[in-house]
Amino acid sequence: MNKTENLFDLVKDQISQSFATLNLKKELEVLISNPNNEIIVNFPVKLKNDSLKIFKGYRVQHNNLLGPYKGGLRFHQNVYLDECKALAFWMTMKTALHNIPFGGGKGGIKFNPYEYNDTDLKEISIQFSKALSNYIGEDKDIPAPDVGTNSKIMDLMTHTYLNTTNTINKGVYTGKSIPFGGSEGRTEATGRGLYICLLEWAKRNNILLEGKTYILQGFGNVGSNLALLLSKLGMTMIAVGDHTGYYENDEGFNIYKMLEYVKKNKSLENYNIGNNIDKTLFFSKKCDIVIPAALELQIKKEEAEIINCKMVLEAANGPVDIEGETILTNKGITVIPDILANSGGVLVSYYEWLQNRSHNYWSKEKVLNKLDNKMSELFNKVYDLSIKNNYNMRTASYYISLNRLQDVYIASGVL
Ligand code: NAD
């Protein structure tokens, strides 16, 4: 595995860069450089074909200074411990940036969910929830959906947790379905938060978004919900891709038709509109905005050199590595960083947790209004700081998150 293929190396580089730029206590760097707990569970599952298989599950609990650990669960064949450590670190930064009472965590199972039928997926989720039950809780660690998981899986895992622990509060998991105690607006929250960042960025730069073009990598929960909102703005998606391939269409794709296709076929494979292209052609497509909404480490040196746009909106976590970001910056391309841009999901997860605790459920209008206001306020705070101190937006975001953690460590006598 070379250096940029290990996601935790990107976190280490970002931490070093932040502490070299920002005036923070050295001990804070020590405190946040490693997670508090790294949990690995190997659990057996009886599959539909009667075979017994051991699955490897992870839960990394990075930091709980501000509140219970919080972060998603990923079902993907490439899940590994250092990836969970990196994603958990970013969750600590995200919750501190929003000043919500959570820390950071992340986990998942190393397996390809596309290779299993629904009955087996259900059993794998149930057994994973049992294996995690001693380590999580509504005041301890609160998982949520991420790549390869959804509200159906969160419902199953919550139900199993409540039965296993003989408890009743559903706030132990967020991202549940509405009948099971989920929040209105959670499914589209991450895409909507990204959309608000884009609107605010355009306002601050006097850019009219109508008629602007973008390319989108990843057409899952985050990517498709964002694309729906962008089509309402009159923006045109001229290239798109997922784990099965990439497509271009200079006329623009119809997002509603694409969504219908993906719901039915589970991916973009064999999509019959536009031309099939490779990943290099995809990233070299001239457009206004590039949106990585799939996985980490997608924009490295090679991709950054060919990207031709005004702005990169980080919908995925850690999609751009340090070298990639330097190249983009030198080309005058703004990067709106993941911990700010995709934080709408954890914000509405917080609202879900509050609703579960109070047994008082909010209307969709209320949730979306709160989300929109909080995201635009935070975007402008980061943007103003980046201009005032001549930071890029990632450094400005880290400035806010790290200072918040430092203040609480000082108040608690640790620093
Ligand atoms: P998802 O599973 O719904 O969708 C993932 C998409 O990425 C799919 O279209 C998939 O085909 C595509 N993809 C996977 N591997 C790929 C590859 N190698 N090349 C190209 N495309 C590939 O997941 P999601 O919830 O939409 O998450 C997407 C990203 O957003 C992840 O980085 C996730 O951590 C981040 N994120 C998600 C949330 C959330 O609320 N779901 C919140 C914050 C950040």
Side-chain angles (χ1 to χ4, degrees), residues 74 76 94 106 114 145-148 186 190 217-223 241-243 246 293-295 298 315-317 342 345:
R74 180 174 288 194
H76 193 273
K94 236 180 263 187
K106 202 82 178 192
Y114 292 102
D146 191 71
V147 175
R186 174 61 185 88
T190 308
Q217 185 196 38
F219 199 76
N221 171 291
V222 176
D242 72 359
H243 68 283
Y246 294 87
L295 291 176
Q298 294 300 304
N317 288 304
N342 72 29

Side-chain angles (χ1 to χ4, degrees), residues 192 351 363-376:
R192 191 168 177 104
Y351 298 155
S363 68
K364 189 163 188 169
E365 194 188 0
K366 176 170 174 176
V367 173
L368 297 184
N369 269 340
K370 283 173 85 76
L371 167 73
D372 291 359
N373 291 337
K374 193 84 197 298
M375 286 302 302
S376 72

Side-chain angles (χ1 to χ4, degrees), residues 75-88:
F75 288 0
H76 193 273
Q77 61 277 17
N78 294 341
V79 167
Y80 58 102
L81 183 62
D82 272 5
E83 178 190 59
C84 296
K85 283 165 64 177
L87 293 166

Side-chain angles (χ1 to χ4, degrees), residues 4 9 98 127 152 155 271 280 295 299 335 338 375 393:
T4 52
D9 284 334
H98 263 292
Q127 296 309 326
K152 209 162 125 191
D155 290 354
Y271 197 59
T280 306
L295 291 176
I299 303 178
V335 177
D338 47 7
M375 286 302 302
M393 291 188 73

Side-chain angles (χ1 to χ4, degrees), residues 55-71:
F55 287 82
K56 188 176 276 297
Y58 300 88
R59 186 68 185 169
V60 170
Q61 299 173 331
H62 176 263
N63 188 291
N64 61 351
L65 182 71
L66 304 183
Y69 303 106
K70 182 85 193 86

